[in-house]
Amino acid sequence: MPILKDRLTPALGALTLVLLLAGLWLSLTAPADVNQGLLVRLMFVHVPTAWLSYLAYGGTGLFGLLYLITRQRRYDRLAMSSGEIGVLFTVATIVGGMLWAKPTWGTYWVWDARLTTTALSLVVYGAYLLVRGLIDDPERRARVSAVIGVVGTLYIPVNYMAVEWWRGVHQTQTLKLLGGMNWGAAPVYGIALTVMTVAFTVLYLYLLRVRGILAVRQERREEREFELPEPQGTPLSGAGVRRG
């Protein structure tokens, strides 16, 4: 289905834009933190990008599992699309974290448990995308990729709990979900961060839909390219056969 004729995709794009603008306005007008000053505003982008990477990797595992159960190609396309989005926003998470780390830690990077596992996720999902490019058979490619995607979701709880299991320089979770929900930042920042997190969630749905549509087009184009032309003028058809 062409994107221009699809009503849902432009609606998701428009909603994403509205939420992002609202979230940015709330983020830029939020008061400075007592300890970090205006630097705290990086949290309103860094945390949502990290959340989106979790969401995308989780989607890769979920869609991969659905493919293994149903063998429907659409789930394989969605898993691939979600994996690409996850890698993109993991890179954004690392870059945002480095910009935050330099003035607070005095360095752009340390081999902290949270940072190390985040970097390793790029290796895992980079391998996921690499495998997809190395296997030509669509069914085998989908099966192998699905298994990697499902196993790769173990990264999410490990990375989330890394600051609790291995003490390092990285701060603990801003929002603690285990042992009773606990908001670790000042309450005044909660609204801005919530709006930005919702905006990035809708952004994920929008990007997933757009990339899924493009994947369908790519798949159809590949099928047409590998389609063998029908034989013409064969003796059995009688064309060009001279009878004596």
Side-chain angles (χ1 to χ4, degrees), residues 162-186:
V163 293
E164 299 288 343
W165 293 342
W166 304 286
R167 290 293 182 179
V169 297
H170 196 285
Q171 67 184 54
T172 56
Q173 301 98 334
T174 303
L175 178 63
K176 293 186 178 181
L177 302 176
L178 301 178
M181 186 174 293
N182 181 30
W183 172 250

Side-chain angles (χ1 to χ4, degrees), residues 21-240:
L21 290 175
L24 287 173
W25 182 80
L26 291 170
S27 302
L28 293 174
T29 57
D33 181 64
V34 175
N35 298 315
Q36 299 190 40
L38 295 178
L39 189 65
V40 73
R41 292 176 179 171
L42 283 172
M43 175 180 67
F44 303 125
V45 176
H46 179 63
V47 173
T49 54
W51 154 249
L52 198 153
S53 69
Y54 283 172
L55 182 62
Y57 289 153
T60 301
L62 174 62
F63 293 129
L65 180 62
L66 289 174
Y67 173 79
L68 292 175
I69 295 173
T70 65
R71 291 294 194 259
Q72 295 184 22
R73 294 283 292 279
R74 60 175 177 170
Y75 293 124
D76 177 57
R77 292 192 296 266
L78 289 172
M80 175 202 66
S81 303
S82 193
E84 291 179 349
I85 296 170
V87 169
L88 173 64
F89 280 90
T90 299
V91 172
T93 301
I94 291 176
V95 172
M98 292 172 68
L99 294 176
W100 200 353
K102 179 59 176 178
T104 54
W105 299 344
T107 181
Y108 286 110
W109 184 268
V110 294
W111 290 103
D112 176 86
R114 170 66 68 83
L115 276 68
T116 302
T117 53
T118 301
L120 287 175
S121 77
L122 291 178
V123 177
V124 173
Y125 287 92
Y128 170 86
L129 297 176
L130 180 63
V131 165
R132 296 193 64 89
L134 293 177
I135 302 177
D136 293 327
D137 179 60
E139 299 299 329
R140 182 169 177 266
R141 177 177 60 205
R143 289 196 307 270
V144 174
S145 302
V147 172
I148 297 175
V150 171
V151 175
T153 56
L154 293 174
Y155 153 79
I156 299 173
V158 171
N159 183 261
Y160 178 78
M161 294 300 299
V163 293
E164 299 288 343
W165 293 342
W166 304 286
R167 290 293 182 179
V169 297
H170 196 285
Q171 67 184 54
T172 56
Q173 301 98 334
T174 303
L175 178 63
K176 293 186 178 181
L177 302 176
L178 301 178
M181 186 174 293
N182 181 30
W183 172 250
V188 69
Y189 302 134
I191 297 177
L193 187 57
T194 299
V195 173
M196 286 295 286
T197 302
V198 173
F200 272 69
T201 302
V202 179
L203 174 62
Y204 166 73
L205 297 176
Y206 171 71
L207 293 176
L208 182 66
R209 187 166 179 84
V210 171
R211 186 63 184 91
I213 292 173
L214 294 176
V216 171
R217 293 178 177 179
Q218 181 180 2
E219 188 174 280
R220 290 175 179 174
R221 184 173 64 250
E222 291 177 351
E223 289 175 353
R224 288 195 300 268
E225 290 176 354
F226 287 100
E227 192 176 64
L228 295 176
E230 295 183 0
Q232 298 179 355
T234 60
L236 293 178
S237 65

Side-chain angles (χ1 to χ4, degrees), residues 13-24:
L15 180 59
T16 299
L17 180 60
V18 171
L19 289 171
L20 283 175
L21 290 175
L24 287 173

